[in-house]
Amino acid sequence: MNAVCGNTAGGYTCSCASGYAGDGFTCSDIDECAAETDTCDVNAVCSNTVGGYTCSCGSGYTGDGFTCSDIDECAAETDMCDVNAVC
């Protein structure tokens, strides 16, 4: 269901559910990523889903997408530096 029905005296009202826009009788998905209303971290990628969105940290970052932290590849020893180079 993309809408929520509310009972009123002698009738009812319709409103679009969270993540949807419209008049309650016709509701369409809101693309939070394109509208830039998402709450993803600045270092995350936003992906629109039906009725919502997901966030995932970009390359070189770790976290839940809403909070992303830099991965220290040098400390984790996952860098690709030459053995004779300083990371």
Side-chain angles (χ1 to χ4, degrees):
M1 298 228 13
N2 301 339
V4 177
C5 180
N7 189 42
T8 63
Y12 64 94
T13 61
C14 296
S15 59
C16 294
S18 177
Y20 295 88
D23 62 7
F25 296 97
T26 302
C27 300
S28 58
D29 177 55
I30 297 172
D31 186 341
E32 293 86 357
C33 302
E36 297 182 356
T37 58
D38 63 88
T39 57
C40 298
D41 188 89
V42 66
N43 296 306
V45 175
C46 180
S47 300
N48 189 57
T49 61
V50 177
Y53 61 94
T54 61
C55 304
S56 57
C57 295
S59 179
Y61 294 87
T62 186
D64 63 4
F66 297 98
T67 303
C68 299
S69 302
D70 181 52
I71 297 171
D72 185 344
E73 292 84 2
C74 298
E77 297 180 356
T78 58
D79 62 88
M80 301 299 287
C81 296
D82 185 86
V83 295
N84 297 312
V86 176
C87 181

